[in-house]
Structure formats: structure tokens, C-alpha cells
Amino acid sequence: MVQIITDSSSDITLEQAKKMGVEMIPIAVHFGEEEFMDGDTLLAEEFYRRLAAVTELPSTAQINPERFASHFQRHIDAGDEIVVMPISRELSGTYQSALLARDMVCPEKIFVVDTLNTTFGLGLLVEEALRMREKGLSAAQIADALAALKSRVRLLAMVDTLKYLKMGGRISAATAFVGGVLGINPIISVVDGRVEAIGKARGRKAAFDWIADRVRQDPPDLAYPVFFGHSAAPQSLEAAIDYFSQLLGCEDILSAEISATVGTHVGPGATGLAYIAKEDTAR
């Protein structure tokens, strides 16, 4: 059997992972001296409640090689092959930890994919890995296919508050103040594995219109699902699904709530979509 392993930055919950036949390893989240496991001992609702009260951002800790190795060994002992799909190496040392653990356990049967993605963009790749497994592909074939597909993932989202980007040092206090007064919503994307601000708009409707223009320039391949995500903003998620499903004519729709790894920086109210771009528009 091919076992697929990801981490909690994929925004796949433990319950969903169990139903999907995927193993999700939680990333540690620290609020001061308190440690929680993202998606396990710290669910999204409690995370955003705590986040609203902080004066200093929580931190996350990469999954270390020993944790990965213990999971890998169990599956290798059961006779499985493994495809590992961690958060982008540009955002965490978790990918490097997975490589070290692979070499410790069984390098010929463990395939670690440098996904260059996170949050629901990574979740989209995990869904595709599952479809490949259902078609009977081997771990090596799945890893090769994901390596070719990852450059076609597009994630675009609006951020509702500048508070956490300011706290994390990603924008200045003056920019945050002016942006807040003017009702500015940054547009973020994952570019070469890093989360970057690529635009801005005033208000949700204008932000959706901005994203729509980008999507028209770089259209999705609707042979794949479109994955929507949000951070404690279910109503905004519904609005995004309604807006973009009509625009794109997509029927295969997935959704998830952004967890602590990315939620720490974007805060509540972020909404967006991830999709696989057509091949002729791939970066």
C-alpha cells in the first residue's frame, strides 16, 4: 500500500485524514510557554480565540526528524511505501526533517516531495495524491507526478486585517494604520514556495474582483478541483464559493479552514482559492 503523509499546515483535520486514509502529523504551536499540537490539542476555533488576545504572535516549531522517523518506521514495518508531502521548504525546516528521517529509516521506499505549498494549496496536492493512489500508481510515480504538478498550483487570497501582518513585521505600523483607515485588503499568494503580498484592494468585493482578473489571466484546469479556504470566516467563504464557482463554472469544489501555521500571519477573515492552472500557463 502507498501511505500518504502530510502535516497540519495542509489544513486537513485529523478526522478528515482518517476518512481519507492519509496520515496528518500536527505541527507544534506555542503561545508563550504553552505548547499545543495544531489540529489536535488546538483546533481552529480555539486558535483564533487565543490569537485575538495576543500582544505577541504565537510561534510554530518544525516537525523534527525523530517524530517523522517513528511514523515512517511503522508504515515500513507494515510493508508500505510512503509519499511525504510537507509544508514548503521555504516556510519551514519540516521538509529537511523529513529527508533526514527518510535516510534514517528506508530511503528506497520513502519519497519526500518538496511541495512548495502550504494551507489549502498543499491540501489540493494531497487530494491529487489520493486520486493517483486510487488509480494504482506507485509511491515513486505519485512523487514524480506531484513534482511536475506543484508548479501549476495557484493560491490567491484576500486578508481581512493588517494587524497580524504588522505584528509579524511583514508590514510597517504606518502602512497598517493607513491601510486600516482606508479599508485596504492585501492579496496574498504562494510564489516559489513563499507567502507574498501581490496586490491590494478596498473591501471584499474589490478583492474578489482583483483575484478574478488574475484568474482570467492564469485560468484553472477544471479537470482538477478548486479548493477554497478561509480563516474563521465561513460567510466570506460562502461568498467566495458563490462568486468564483459562477465565474469559473467549476463543480468539483473543496474547502478548508486555515489553521495555525498560516493563520498566525493572516489572522481571521482571510478568504481565497487554490487551483491547478492550465499547463500552458504554468510558471
Side-chain angles (χ1 to χ4, degrees), residues 14-36:
L14 286 172
E15 182 180 358
Q16 290 170 333
K18 185 176 180 179
K19 291 179 181 178
M20 296 162 68
V22 170
E23 183 156 11
M24 188 280 280
I25 303 178
I27 290 173
V29 182
H30 296 92
F31 280 88
E33 297 299 315
E34 293 185 273
E35 180 180 88
F36 302 90

Side-chain angles (χ1 to χ4, degrees), residues 146-157:
L146 291 172
L149 193 63
K150 67 185 182 185
S151 66
R152 294 168 57 194
V153 176
R154 305 288 185 267
L155 187 151
L156 299 158

